[in-house]
Amino acid sequence: MSSTPAHGSPRVVVIGAGIVGCSLADELTARGWTDVTVLDQGPLPAPGGSTSHAPGLVFRTSPSKTLTAFARYTVEKFGSLEADGVPCFVPVGGLELATTPERLADLHRRAGLAASWGVRGEVVSAARCKELWPLIDESVVLGGFHTPDDGLARALHAARAQLSRASARGARFLDRHTVTGIERHSGHVTGVVTDRGAFPADHVVSAAGFWGPVVGRMAGVDVPLQPLAHQYATTGPLPQLRGATAEATRPILRFQDRDLYFREHTDRIGIGSYAHKPLPVDPFAVPPYDEARARDLDMPSSLPFTPQDWAPSWEDCRRLLPALRGCAIDQGFNGVFSFTPDGMPVLGESRDLRGFWLAEAVWVTHSAGVAKAVAEWMVDGRPSLDVHECELTRFEEAQRSPAYIRERGSQQFVEVYDVVHPLQPMERPRPLRVSPFHARQEQLGACFLEAGGWERPHWYEANAGLVTGPDLPERDAWSARHWSPIAAAEARATREGVALYDMTPLRRLEVTGPGALDFLDRATTNNLRKKPGAVTYTLLLDEAGGVRSDLTVARLAPDRFQVGANTPADLDRLLRHAPDGVHVRDVTSGTCCIGVWGPLARDLVQPLTPDDFSHGAFGYFRARETYVGHVPVTAMRLSYVGELGWELYTTADLGLRLWDTLWEAGRELGVVAAGRSAFNSLRLEKGYRAWGVDMTGEHNPFEAGLGFAVRMDKEDFTGKTALENAGEPTRRLTPLLLDDPAAVVLGKEPVYVGGSPAGYVTSASYGYSLGRCVAYAWLPSGLPSGTGVHVEYFGEKVPATVADEPLFDPEMTRIRR
């Protein structure tokens, strides 16, 4: 929990009085932090940022569970607020249209996401779409997705309502204050300087919207967002809406096949378009409020309308809504708002400047939910829901360059309404990060996907000739995307022979110093007090017992550890808590790793090394520093595919030599290179969890099936008290086998128990060794093995059965030989 200064309630300065800043002030003061000052350069209640022109559409359903939760809270909160007697939310519902078979299929997928995340919605016929929106041309519509509880957020009203509540609790809101600097001392923020004086602070929150990078520069903190302009236009009065008195009665409408959305403005129609080319905006060149007015702009975030970008969209509008053919656009503008490289908000406290927080790249849709999460984070030390997708630490250093942020932010604008496959890689800038083996992988015809900027082989065309044996079930178009039957051949080669896997993108941290053992042992759940050479699977928990990461910790010397971690947040977390004398550094980029796995792994490696790699001399979960050929390596007897083998680490400069050494020696054994697609199938057959997918900070280890990695008899570790008080789990991560050998699911689908939605799939992959698709799902605890359930896949209820784990080689004989 955050400490409270001696002078009482922490002093908080929020920069930005838009919907996020006002929501945050309300959430903080409701939790007892009442010394809150909100500053804005513009006039209140409409200071000129994105909130001032937001059209207010709230569609809650998203592939992100976190964004959906944010939006659900926004609807719940704004639905209870009024400003001057005017409701802050209008529950007119939402309607997304399909005019192509591909979009209609995607709407079925979105309906599944809604069921997974607890949003009421259904796919409806074209006739029902016409009933909900009589102005549409029914002949061009194939169907729609109707969410009756979505609607319109009146952003300025909601800001005013929360401003009023926060003010009544002691917060103050000061307009016409332009921030000019951030004060700091000894790595901690101490205040905010404006053109009208300075404000001391224990915490400063940048909720400045597209000005976030400007504020961030003052604090010496990168804010990875790119402002872009987005067209919005309003028609003149429509005869069909003559006599309307309510602001809106019909659902907010999305025509995603043409990157358009619509909402009513009494007797007019407002139209937003993402169909035009990206229009990046330099946040350092956006004029302040008064200067913008002097340039005949309504506000800094409202740029002149560009008719040449609008023309194609106008034709699409009139095709869908024939009533528009007889009218014209009355007014329009290009509104500025923020995009990040991955389309998610940027939240959290900077490690480099303690007490400086970001609540940036937040749309009105998610504003109240984000504010609640950040307030919980500040007051209680953690949000009540998982926000790892939004943490400011999530971006790699290679993803933080201005060029990358601009290019990826612009692409996020392009893809707002695209049907995006969960495995779809970005197209540019690539390649960005490559392992030392990249040239050899290209020669083998690697099909590269991308994650964290890394090029990651998913299968190799060189293995196409290995696709033999029983025919695999034919896949539908969606599950066949970014997949190849070669993955099955690579999985079989791993189970029957030996394969090389590029594990370089997995994060590696080095922890050294005389207090390294004590530090890591207190920070994690398992017993690390073992002799050098031991490797331990352990967990990083937060104070509430949530799984923040899973780690593989190798003790290479008394005071030197190699830690296999997940995201940059792991490095950030360890650095925040490392005591003096303990050094933590990320060594990923300077090193590389090859996983050598399969029943012939020892036959391949043993002749190349002077050490004894027999089971008795080099047991499971052991590590040693040795040589493979001419290459010094750190060898770890680990296997995330359920087969005999080792992870072999060396420096990046020797990586290619290591690959070539193993490849040449392995020819007579039939060695193959294998990719992530086979790896994912093999690890799920063994029930190995993937942090951030199968479990997050919302889950404790016992729910996630990781109790074996928790030593409750340890003197202490972070989260221990919470686990002691947790009680019996009411939900569990549960393995499922789909009943139909031809059925495949991919993840995030709802799971029905007894006909009702009861949970959702996390990871899924076809188990080539089992002849069935394996899916892990969060479901109520107590479901015995053999229980029948259904997984909804594109609107179809697919039967599945709860299974015992591990599904493959439960005796672990293949690994320990």
Side-chain angles (χ1 to χ4, degrees):
M1 181 176 292
S2 301
S3 60
T4 300
H7 47 73
S9 176
R11 299 166 299 182
V12 180
V13 175
V14 179
I15 301 171
I19 190 62
V20 178
C22 291
S23 296
L24 181 58
D26 183 48
E27 295 288 339
L28 285 171
T29 55
R31 288 166 174 79
W33 281 24
T34 55
D35 191 350
V36 176
T37 301
V38 184
L39 306 173
D40 206 295
Q41 64 174 344
L44 293 177
S50 300
T51 302
S52 302
H53 64 69
L57 282 70
V58 178
F59 283 92
R60 293 167 298 163
T61 304
S62 164
S64 167
K65 178 175 179 287
T66 300
L67 287 188
T68 300
F70 285 161
R72 288 180 61 186
Y73 183 74
T74 298
V75 168
E76 175 188 329
K77 185 176 186 181
F78 291 1
S80 67
L81 294 177
E82 291 185 350
D84 300 327
V86 178
C88 295
F89 183 76
V90 187
V92 292
L95 180 62
E96 303 176 43
L97 300 178
T99 60
T100 65
E102 295 77 15
R103 180 67 64 177
L104 183 60
D106 190 60
L107 294 187
H108 281 285
R109 184 175 70 96
R110 287 181 61 76
L113 290 170
S116 289
W117 314 146
V119 174
R120 191 162 63 107
E122 64 174 336
V123 176
V124 298
S125 67
R128 177 60 177 152
C129 293
K130 179 72 170 179
E131 291 176 8
L132 293 166
W133 250 88
L135 299 185
I136 68 171
D137 180 354
E138 183 183 356
S139 69
V140 303
V141 176
L142 301 181
F145 176 47
H146 181 220
T147 47
D149 304 316
D150 289 341
L152 293 166
R154 293 185 170 114
L156 285 177
H157 284 77
R160 286 167 52 199
Q162 293 176 102
L163 181 155
S164 178
R165 296 204 316 186
S167 297
R169 301 186 191 112
R172 57 177 175 166
F173 291 75
L174 304 177
D175 61 3
R176 300 295 188 174
H177 281 67
T178 299
V179 174
T180 59
I182 305 295
E183 295 183 321
R184 72 200 80 182
H185 179 71
S186 299
H188 200 290
V189 72
T190 59
V192 176
V193 180
T194 76
D195 59 350
R196 297 176 65 179
F199 297 84
D202 304 298
H203 298 271
V204 173
V205 185
S206 177
F210 58 78
W211 281 293
V214 179
V215 175
R217 180 175 292 182
M218 297 178 196
V221 175
D222 288 337
V223 181
L225 67 81
Q226 174 62 55
L228 287 110
H230 160 62
Q231 290 200 305
Y232 191 80
T234 308
T235 69
L238 293 180
Q240 293 85 348
L241 301 180
R242 185 180 294 117
T245 56
E247 178 185 353
T249 59
R250 295 175 177 84
I252 47 178
L253 184 68
R254 291 209 281 199
F255 183 19
Q256 290 151 301
D257 289 324
R258 289 295 181 268
D259 296 309
L260 293 164
Y261 64 81
F262 306 84
R263 57 152 295 180
E264 294 171 294
H265 290 282
T266 313
D267 63 348
R268 303 162 186 254
I269 301 293
I271 308 165
S273 173
Y274 294 99
H276 55 83
K277 66 181 183 296
L279 302 170
V281 174
D282 181 357
F284 294 89
V286 176
Y289 188 91
D290 291 327
E291 185 178 333
R293 300 286 287 181
R295 296 185 191 178
D296 293 326
L297 300 175
D298 288 339
M299 60 189 76
S301 61
S302 178
L303 303 181
F305 193 63
T306 49
Q308 67 275 15
D309 295 313
W310 177 255
S313 290
W314 185 230
E315 291 304 313
D316 290 328
C317 293
R318 293 190 288 187
R319 181 168 66 90
L320 179 69
L321 304 176
L324 300 182
R325 295 171 186 167
C327 76
I329 294 300
D330 183 53
Q331 56 183 349
F333 65 94
N334 288 6
V336 182
F337 63 139
S338 304
F339 286 81
T340 59
D342 59 4
M344 300 293 286
V346 181
L347 313 177
E349 182 190 26
S350 168
R351 187 186 73 254
D352 298 323
L353 183 58
R354 302 293 179 90
F356 184 81
W357 296 77
L358 297 181
E360 297 290 11
V362 181
W363 295 7
V364 171
T365 299
H366 311 113
S367 55
V370 163
K372 179 187 177 188
V374 173
E376 290 172 335
W377 210 340
M378 296 174 70
V379 175
D380 303 327
R382 72 186 292 271
S384 58
L385 57 83
D386 170 58
V387 297
H388 82 273
E389 295 175 302
C390 309
E391 291 186 24
L392 66 93
T393 55
R394 71 187 183 271
F395 294 111
E396 305 283 349
E397 189 65 28
Q399 297 173 307
R400 304 184 74 93
S401 70
Y404 185 95
I405 292 166
R406 179 185 176 96
E407 187 165 5
R408 293 304 307 154
S410 297
Q411 187 61 26
Q412 288 297 326
F413 178 93
V414 171
E415 294 177 358
V416 162
Y417 283 167
D418 284 2
V419 177
V420 178
H421 192 277
L423 292 177
Q424 181 174 317
M426 65 181 187
E427 295 180 1
R428 299 183 310 273
R430 289 180 66 194
L432 184 62
R433 308 176 77 186
V434 298
S435 79
F437 327 126
H438 185 73
R440 298 293 185 265
Q441 292 165 343
E442 287 188 311
Q443 292 168 4
L444 293 170
C447 175
F448 292 102
L449 300 186
E450 178 273 340
W454 286 102
E455 295 296 312
R456 305 179 72 158
H458 272 242
W459 66 85
Y460 294 84
E461 289 296 330
N463 296 326
L466 302 179
V467 181
T468 60
D471 291 335
L472 291 171
E474 184 176 349
R475 290 202 172 203
D476 64 278
W478 184 252
S479 65
R481 202 177 298 183
H482 307 297
W483 174 84
S484 168
I486 295 173
E490 293 175 0
R492 186 174 64 252
T494 307
R495 292 279 189 236
E496 297 176 356
V498 61
L500 305 185
Y501 287 81
D502 181 1
M503 307 303 289
T504 300
L506 299 185
R507 186 168 308 280
R508 292 171 291 286
L509 309 179
E510 182 183 75
V511 182
T512 58
L517 174 60
D518 289 341
F519 165 57
L520 288 173
D521 199 53
R522 287 194 307 271
T524 66
T525 59
N526 213 334
N527 174 31
L528 301 185
R529 298 187 181 278
K530 304 172 184 176
K531 294 179 180 179
V535 183
T536 306
Y537 178 79
T538 188
L539 307 173
L540 272 178
L541 306 184
D542 57 30
E543 293 291 349
V547 181
R548 291 304 307 263
S549 189
D550 61 341
L551 309 176
T552 302
V553 179
R555 191 178 189 187
L556 302 179
D559 297 328
R560 178 165 61 91
F561 296 81
Q562 179 173 308
V563 178
N566 287 294
T567 72
D570 296 340
L571 174 64
D572 182 84
R573 188 172 182 84
L574 292 178
L575 285 171
R576 284 177 184 270
H577 296 96
D580 292 341
V582 174
H583 306 284
V584 183
R585 69 187 186 103
D586 191 325
V587 297
T588 309
S589 297
T591 56
C592 60
C593 178
I594 299 175
V596 184
W597 290 312
L600 300 181
R602 185 175 287 115
D603 300 70
L604 172 55
V605 177
Q606 182 62 82
L608 301 173
T609 178
D611 281 78
D612 185 353
F613 271 49
S614 68
H615 181 64
F618 196 157
Y620 194 49
F621 266 82
R622 299 293 297 172
R624 66 176 54 170
E625 293 174 312
T626 183
Y627 291 86
V628 170
H630 296 90
V631 180
V633 301
T634 299
M636 297 188 195
R637 178 102 183 263
L638 306 175
S639 176
Y640 287 95
V641 298
E643 296 292 337
L644 170 69
W646 289 265
E647 293 178 357
L648 302 176
Y649 298 88
T650 191
T651 52
D653 60 323
L654 291 167
L656 189 59
R657 183 58 178 263
L658 177 61
W659 179 280
D660 288 345
T661 299
L662 293 166
W663 189 259
E664 290 303 318
R667 284 184 181 275
E668 63 183 32
L669 299 173
V671 69
V672 304
R676 295 293 298 182
S677 187
F679 177 89
N680 199 46
S681 170
L682 296 169
R683 69 116 183 149
L684 280 174
E685 289 182 335
K686 288 297 295 178
Y688 295 143
R689 277 64 166 149
W691 185 85
V693 180
D694 296 316
M695 71 280 188
T696 69
E698 291 185 4
H699 311 108
N700 76 40
F702 303 110
E703 296 172 323
L706 298 175
F708 67 89
V710 180
R711 294 292 178 264
M712 294 300 293
D713 56 353
K714 282 175 62 171
E715 182 176 348
D716 195 20
F717 58 83
T718 302
K720 180 181 179 183
T721 300
L723 293 186
E724 289 173 334
N725 299 320
E728 286 297 315
T730 59
R731 59 183 177 180
R732 290 190 186 275
L733 188 60
T734 305
L736 305 175
L737 279 175
L738 271 58
D739 294 352
D740 183 353
V744 175
V745 298
L746 299 182
K748 300 187 178 181
E749 296 88 357
V751 180
Y752 290 75
V753 178
S756 299
Y760 59 91
V761 173
T762 57
S763 295
S765 179
Y766 200 85
Y768 302 112
S769 309
L770 304 172
R772 294 284 192 282
C773 183
V774 180
Y776 271 76
W778 281 103
L779 292 172
S781 60
L783 295 178
S785 177
T787 300
V789 301
H790 288 85
V791 182
E792 183 178 322
Y793 182 70
F794 285 90
E796 179 185 352
K797 300 293 196 305
V798 180
T801 302
V802 173
D804 290 321
E805 60 175 342
L807 302 168
F808 181 82
D809 187 26
E811 303 300 323
M812 303 287 282
T813 56
R814 301 175 71 91
I815 292 177
R816 304 178 189 274
R817 58 180 170 184

